[in-house]
Amino acid sequence: MLQYRLSDSALSEIRFGLSPLNEAGLSLRAVRDPALYPAHLRWVQRVVDDLPSPELEVLRALVDDRSWVPDFLNPVPTTPLTRFDDELAALAQIDLGRLDHDLDAVHDVRPAVLTGPAADVRQRVVDAVGLYWGVSFRSTWTRMRTLLEADVVFRGREIGRSGLAGMFAGLAPAVSFDGRTVSIALRDPRTRTVDVAGAGLTLIPSLFTQRASSPVTDDDRPSVIYPVRGAATLWDPAPVRGSGALADLLGATRAGLLDALHEPASSSELATRYGVSPSAVNQHLRVMHDTGLLTRARHGRSVLYRTSELGEQLAGRSDLSAGPWS
């Protein structure tokens, strides 16, 4: 049980935040033990298939048998507008003593891949997490973030409609609020009481927590990570059919893919997103690439596609620099 005691001032400092790194860190639970997260199984399988073995070993080692994740992977956001690149840059500069402290708080005995000079371990973690984001989140984060932001809006309305007590009652069965104390019934056998004082309390929606989560240690700002509403709908197939003159020219499916690939994505990610077979997606992508409408580039073990300059013009969007795509 974890209890956050709130003062009068702290009651006015309850805020919501979103953290891309937090989501990436918590999602490692699903990568380590996919059976616990059946709604994300297809996504996890794609991620595991696309990640190189050394990085996958590091990522799985960061989670212990209790599904605990080091606090440095779950930063408490100060704004709903946090960017992953900024959080990764901060992780690359994390104090080495803090790194060791957070790892030892999770692991009684560290996995071998997380042992050695702290600077080397930090670089190993940063490299693995950065690659993981590119493979697993970069092409799906907009969709994930939309769900998270919608939840924050809903909770804000609940406060206006039912007050703080009503909002907390709806967060998760593991969370309760008596007007002064927020209690989180965790699987952690420790009993902890934290006086929030002037630190405030941050509420963070997540797609990868089933009950409620909190920091492993009490060194960071107080926070409650709670399950987002509608997580099971995240991977519901989305329509891929375009319309209008472009669909008349290319066909509805290819017009839809041209629109979707304004942001890079792999064929397996597109197949998961739209609920179609990878072979069908690959056939369309091959034709569109051969006709110059798409560019592609290898990212790890995945090939990412994106609309070419010609494709952008055909879709009626502003020209984009091809950058590293070819």
Side-chain angles (χ1 to χ4, degrees), residues 43-98:
W43 177 81
V44 171
Q45 186 59 59
R46 177 179 62 81
V47 170
V48 170
D49 288 345
D50 288 347
L51 277 171
S53 295
E55 284 75 14
L56 186 59
E57 182 183 8
V58 172
L59 295 168
R60 283 176 167 158
L62 287 166
V63 188
D64 78 346
D65 293 336
R66 300 164 294 186
S67 293
W68 288 14
V69 180
D71 284 346
F72 59 71
L73 288 181
N74 299 139
V76 178
T78 58
T79 170
L81 304 176
T82 309
R83 297 176 62 252
F84 174 78
D85 291 343
D86 295 335
E87 292 185 309
L88 187 66
L91 179 60
Q93 299 298 320
I94 189 173
D95 178 78
L96 296 178
R98 162 76 189 278

Side-chain angles (χ1 to χ4, degrees), residues 24 41 45 76 79 103 115 127 129 164 212 231 271:
L41 275 177
Q45 186 59 59
V76 178
T79 170
L103 286 173
T115 61
D127 290 345
V129 170
L164 282 173

Side-chain angles (χ1 to χ4, degrees), residues 4-316:
Y4 286 129
R5 288 180 179 167
L6 306 178
S7 62
D8 287 336
S9 60
L11 284 170
S12 66
E13 293 178 4
I14 294 174
R15 64 179 70 91
F16 289 85
L18 301 180
S19 165
L21 180 58
N22 195 308
E23 278 300 274
L26 291 173
S27 74
L28 295 179
R29 297 165 164 179
V31 173
R32 190 180 194 276
D33 195 348
L36 295 178
Y37 297 85
H40 301 302
L41 275 177
R42 287 194 300 169
W43 177 81
V44 171
Q45 186 59 59
R46 177 179 62 81
V47 170
V48 170
D49 288 345
D50 288 347
L51 277 171
S53 295
E55 284 75 14
L56 186 59
E57 182 183 8
V58 172
L59 295 168
R60 283 176 167 158
L62 287 166
V63 188
D64 78 346
D65 293 336
R66 300 164 294 186
S67 293
W68 288 14
V69 180
D71 284 346
F72 59 71
L73 288 181
N74 299 139
V76 178
T78 58
T79 170
L81 304 176
T82 309
R83 297 176 62 252
F84 174 78
D85 291 343
D86 295 335
E87 292 185 309
L88 187 66
L91 179 60
Q93 299 298 320
I94 189 173
D95 178 78
L96 296 178
R98 162 76 189 278
L99 180 92
D100 280 334
H101 173 269
D102 286 0
L103 286 173
D104 291 339
V106 169
H107 297 288
D108 292 331
V109 178
R110 286 197 215 176
V113 74
L114 298 178
T115 61
D120 293 346
V121 174
R122 180 176 65 184
Q123 191 60 54
R124 218 172 293 151
V125 169
V126 169
D127 290 345
V129 170
L131 180 61
Y132 177 58
W133 178 267
V135 166
S136 62
F137 276 83
R138 193 168 297 281
S139 61
T140 58
W141 177 239
T142 298
R143 192 173 183 180
M144 292 176 170
R145 188 178 195 110
T146 297
L147 202 60
L148 297 171
E149 289 175 339
D151 187 275
V152 170
V153 171
F154 173 81
R155 304 299 174 183
R157 289 174 179 165
E158 283 294 283
I159 293 174
R161 185 163 39 235
S162 308
L164 282 173
M167 184 275 293
F168 273 110
L171 283 186
V175 180
S176 60
F177 178 61
D178 64 7
R180 281 295 179 187
T181 301
V182 178
S183 300
I184 308 104
L186 303 169
R187 293 190 177 95
D188 182 354
R190 298 174 297 171
T191 298
R192 295 183 288 158
T193 300
V194 177
D195 188 350
V196 170
L201 178 63
T202 303
L203 307 179
I204 308 169
S206 174
L207 293 155
F208 297 97
T209 193
Q210 297 170 319
R211 290 164 43 89
S213 303
S214 68
V216 174
T217 71
D218 299 328
D219 301 327
D220 211 337
R221 292 187 302 277
S223 65
V224 178
I225 304 169
Y226 66 89
V228 69
R229 298 168 66 253
T233 68
L234 176 66
W235 306 118
D236 285 351
V240 68
R241 302 182 68 81
S243 60
L246 190 60
D248 293 339
L249 177 64
L250 300 177
T253 298
R254 289 176 185 172
L257 287 171
L258 192 69
D259 183 66
L261 286 169
H262 184 57
E263 296 292 338
S266 67
S267 59
S268 56
E269 196 278 324
L270 290 167
T272 298
R273 187 191 306 176
Y274 297 117
V276 297
S277 69
S279 60
V281 171
N282 276 317
Q283 182 179 5
H284 289 300
L285 295 178
R286 184 165 52 250
V287 171
M288 294 169 71
H289 177 265
D290 289 347
T291 55
L293 297 179
L294 300 179
T295 60
R296 64 188 180 192
R298 181 163 293 279
H299 187 91
R301 291 194 292 178
S302 295
V303 175
L304 300 185
Y305 290 85
R306 197 181 92 175
T307 47
S308 65
E309 184 174 346
L310 174 61
E312 291 291 321
Q313 291 173 343
L314 189 62

